[in-house]
Amino acid sequence: MKLLAFAASTSRQSINKKLATYAAGLLEGADVEVLDLNDYEMPLFSVDREAEYGHPELAKAFLQKIAASDAIIVSFAEHNGSYSAAYKNLFDWCSRIQPKVFQDKPMVLLATSPGARGGATVLAAATGSAPFFAGHVKASLAIPSFYENFDVEQGAFKNDELQGKVAQAVGMLQQLDPVLI
């Protein structure tokens, strides 16, 4: 299985990237590619820019990564209760090229933050909207109080219950519908 994982964040120290990478590592035998949204920086989307310049090659390349995958794990950073500007911009460009951005791929959606809600607001938005963009959400999970529950140095959970929930969520990708792959 080709598994694509990324954090919807451009922070170099992104805890969501740490979570996405950790989660992707739980799928035994998977060929994992972890993307960095910093590699997909492009001008802010506007219909005027689209009309004048067309679609950025980086947006096309991102969509090709999705097309080449069998499943996707995304961990969402929450910025003021919503998506990060970088993710939203990339998503907006991609949706103009391919309205079915997630291309009928099974997905696990995660979020985390240092706070007690763990990015639950942005995760709810992502989970609710993904099906409209051909994403098949198999599981979603918000991880609260990231630094209290995850050992960044060891790259592992300190909290066994949360570790089990992440493993269970990722395990849902092993129950792929053969029609989808």
Side-chain angles (χ1 to χ4, degrees):
M1 174 190 300
K2 278 195 64 109
L3 178 62
L4 185 67
F6 64 92
S9 170
T10 54
S11 169
R12 281 178 254 161
Q13 301 301 317
S14 173
I15 59 177
N16 281 282
K17 187 171 185 182
K18 290 177 187 351
L19 179 58
T21 302
Y22 172 84
L26 295 175
L27 200 56
E28 289 187 34
D31 177 11
V32 176
E33 182 175 8
V34 179
L35 299 182
D36 186 333
L37 287 196
N38 288 300
D39 295 335
Y40 298 91
E41 189 173 320
M42 57 193 90
L44 287 176
F45 172 79
S46 76
V47 292
D48 296 331
R49 283 192 181 99
E50 181 182 32
E52 187 172 346
Y53 303 112
H55 299 125
E57 291 302 315
L58 289 173
K60 293 175 187 176
F62 188 80
L63 286 167
Q64 288 172 350
K65 293 287 187 182
I66 292 173
S69 71
D70 296 315
I72 304 167
I73 293 176
V74 184
S75 189
F76 290 90
E78 185 171 286
H79 290 192
N80 298 316
S82 190
Y83 301 109
S84 69
Y87 173 77
K88 182 67 168 80
N89 189 54
L90 175 59
F91 184 85
D92 287 346
W93 276 114
C94 288
S95 71
R96 298 298 285 202
I97 299 166
Q98 167 58 270
K100 294 181 177 186
V101 174
F102 300 119
Q103 304 172 49
D104 293 313
K105 305 298 179 177
M107 308 175 74
V108 169
L109 304 182
L110 306 169
T112 194
S113 75
R117 290 186 29 85
T121 302
V122 72
L123 184 61
T127 302
S129 71
F132 295 105
F133 299 96
H136 299 281
V137 180
K138 297 294 189 179
S140 65
L141 181 64
I143 302 296
S145 309
F146 183 76
Y147 294 107
E148 293 173 28
N149 291 306
F150 193 87
D151 184 332
V152 176
E153 301 262 330
Q154 298 294 318
F157 274 90
K158 300 182 222 179
N159 181 312
D160 291 338
E161 181 182 353
L162 287 175
Q163 190 282 330
K165 287 181 178 182
V166 172
Q168 183 179 14
V170 171
M172 297 300 290
L173 293 175
Q174 292 175 323
Q175 301 172 12
L176 292 180
D177 182 342
V179 174
L180 296 176
I181 49 176

